[in-house]
């Protein structure tokens, strides 16, 4: 008598990862779609020879969507969205390996692998002149305003010029690196009237300005370690006549008369002379003919 015995393979083995814990350091300038962890390091095996289905999740809030796997049967992790060290510096991913597809009603065995991702800051930003205004919610872009100042014609100042809204100053927005910045004038100073201190950014004069025309200087801030990391700002210097005297009012007290019930923006008249509008005037001895 010949008896045939067929042994059925039960789903009694869970998938197994080569490594249950991995750590990867990812530079923040990594290109989108670049591989972060290759398939060979993440593929799970199954003694039952079942097809493995993968799912990737993150356990750190506000870091979802940056990393993804190539497919439900391909666990290779790639970068799905550009990184920013200022937004987050690390995250933890959990990769699930299941021997049944999602939604299956049969017994499913699951294994997990934890991938710790650390973001490495890279010197990606050019200097920012301060003060500046952020134009995005993530504070990744900061726009500075031009600097302004003034000098007296035919007079050379020996002190650093006072500018608005403040002195020339730039920082490296990649705060971890905080690279040294140097300053230089790259335009607008054809007569070499001005100099900028390369270390402090203080603007001084080499000689007196002899023309009443304003100067529109272009000042560049450059990182010492990388000349390609630079920013340029405008500095307008107005040339004015020297002012030796402050303005003053012709009278210390002015008296006026206004009538009850008049419409807004109606004239106020001189007290004692209701036909003459009240005029308040100031004079400046620097401009006697004005």
């Amino acid at each position: 008598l010949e008896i045939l015995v067929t042994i059925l393979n039960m789903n009694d083995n869970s998938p197994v990862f080569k490594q249950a814990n991995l750590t990867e350091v990812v530079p923040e300038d990594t290109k989108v779609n670049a591989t972060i962890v290759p398939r060979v390091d993440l593929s799970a095996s199954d003694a039952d020879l079942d097809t493995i289905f993968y799912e990737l999740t993150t356990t750190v809030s506000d870091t979802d969507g940056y990393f993804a796997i190539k497919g439900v049967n391909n666990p290779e992790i790639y970068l799905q969205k550009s990184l920013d060290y200022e937004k987050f510096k690390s995250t933890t991913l959990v990769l699930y390996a299941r021997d049944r597809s999602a939604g299956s009603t049969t017994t499913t065995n699951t294994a997990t692998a934890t991938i710790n991702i650390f973001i490495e800051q890279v010197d990606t930003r050019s200097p920012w002149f301060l003060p500046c205004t952020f134009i995005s919610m993530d504070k990744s872009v900061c726009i500075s305003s031009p600097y302004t100042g003034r000098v007296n014609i035919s007079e050379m100042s020996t002190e650093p010029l006072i500018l608005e809204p403040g002195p020339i100053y730039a920082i490296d927005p990649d705060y971890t690196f905080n690279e040294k910045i140097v300053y230089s004038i790259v335009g607008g100073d054809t007569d070499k009237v001005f100099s900028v201190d390369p270390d402090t950014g203080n603007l001084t004069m080499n000689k007196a300005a002899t023309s009443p025309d304003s100067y529109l200087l272009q000042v560049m801030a450059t990182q010492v370690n990388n000349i390609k990391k630079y920013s340029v700002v405008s500095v307008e210097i107005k040339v004015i006549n020297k002012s030796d005297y402050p303005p003053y009012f012709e009278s210390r007290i002015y008296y006026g008369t206004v009538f009850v019930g008049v419409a807004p923006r109606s004239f106020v008249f001189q007290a004692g002379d209701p036909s003459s509008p009240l005029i308040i005037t100031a004079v400046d001895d620097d401009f006697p003919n004005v």
Side-chain angles (χ1 to χ4, degrees):
L1 178 64
E2 182 179 292
I3 300 175
L4 298 177
V5 179
T6 300
I7 300 175
L8 300 178
N9 185 16
M10 293 183 62
N11 185 22
D12 54 356
N13 293 285
S14 296
V16 177
F17 284 104
K18 293 180 181 179
Q19 303 177 67
N21 287 278
L22 296 89
T23 298
E24 294 290 335
V25 177
V26 183
E28 69 169 321
D29 63 346
T30 299
K31 301 296 184 182
V32 171
N33 295 322
T35 297
I36 304 301
V37 186
R39 180 175 185 171
V40 65
D41 293 339
L42 294 173
S43 294
S45 59
D46 188 344
D48 297 319
L49 303 179
D50 292 318
T51 300
I52 306 299
F53 299 87
Y54 298 93
E55 179 187 2
L56 185 68
T57 64
T58 179
T59 63
V60 180
S61 60
D62 299 325
T63 63
D64 190 33
Y66 286 89
F67 302 94
I69 56 176
K70 289 288 187 177
V72 68
N73 299 122
N74 183 354
E76 177 181 312
I77 296 177
Y78 70 98
L79 184 64
Q80 188 172 241
K81 188 166 63 173
S82 297
L83 298 171
D84 187 344
Y85 184 81
E86 303 300 326
K87 291 183 179 179
F88 69 97
K89 299 172 178 57
S90 64
T91 188
T92 300
L93 307 176
V94 177
L95 180 64
Y96 294 88
R98 300 183 177 93
D99 56 11
R100 294 291 184 270
S101 61
S104 174
T105 58
T106 59
T107 301
T108 302
N109 297 310
T110 304
T112 60
T114 301
I115 302 97
N116 299 300
I117 302 290
F118 293 93
I119 310 303
E120 180 182 52
Q121 187 175 30
V122 178
D123 192 6
T124 58
R125 299 178 180 175
S126 298
W128 289 347
F129 281 99
L130 299 182
C132 63
T133 303
F134 292 108
I135 62 172
S136 57
M137 294 298 293
D138 61 3
K139 297 185 177 181
S140 60
V141 179
C142 201
I143 302 298
S144 59
S145 300
Y147 295 93
T148 59
R150 60 184 185 181
V151 297
N152 295 325
I153 193 169
S154 302
E155 182 175 302
M156 174 180 163
S157 174
T158 58
E159 298 294 327
L161 301 183
I162 298 175
L163 304 176
E164 295 292 341
I168 297 172
Y169 181 63
I171 62 168
D172 179 4
D174 294 307
Y175 304 110
T176 300
F177 295 99
N178 195 27
E179 296 291 351
K180 178 179 173 58
I181 291 174
V182 293
Y183 306 88
S184 59
I185 297 175
V186 294
D189 189 26
T190 55
D191 298 329
K192 306 299 181 184
V193 175
F194 303 96
S195 291
V196 64
D197 188 292
D199 296 316
T200 66
N202 285 336
L203 189 65
T204 55
M205 300 186 71
N206 299 321
K207 58 184 179 181
T210 58
S211 170
D213 297 331
S214 296
Y215 290 84
L216 188 60
L217 308 178
Q218 300 295 313
V219 176
M220 182 171 68
T222 309
Q223 291 183 193
V224 172
N225 69 325
N226 187 352
I227 194 173
K228 294 181 180 179
K229 293 290 190 301
Y230 70 90
S231 294
V232 177
V233 71
S234 297
V235 183
E236 183 182 13
I237 303 297
K238 296 180 179 180
V239 181
I240 62 173
N241 291 320
K242 184 177 180 181
S243 179
D244 293 318
Y245 305 99
Y248 60 90
F249 290 103
E250 291 184 316
S251 176
R252 294 186 60 186
I253 302 176
Y254 290 85
Y255 296 95
T257 298
V258 63
F259 298 101
V260 175
V262 297
R265 304 181 65 85
S266 297
F267 283 116
V268 175
F269 295 94
Q270 296 182 25
D273 186 1
S275 63
S276 300
L278 178 64
I279 299 175
I280 299 174
T281 57
V283 295
D284 189 335
D285 289 341
D286 288 311
F287 306 94
N289 299 322
V290 177

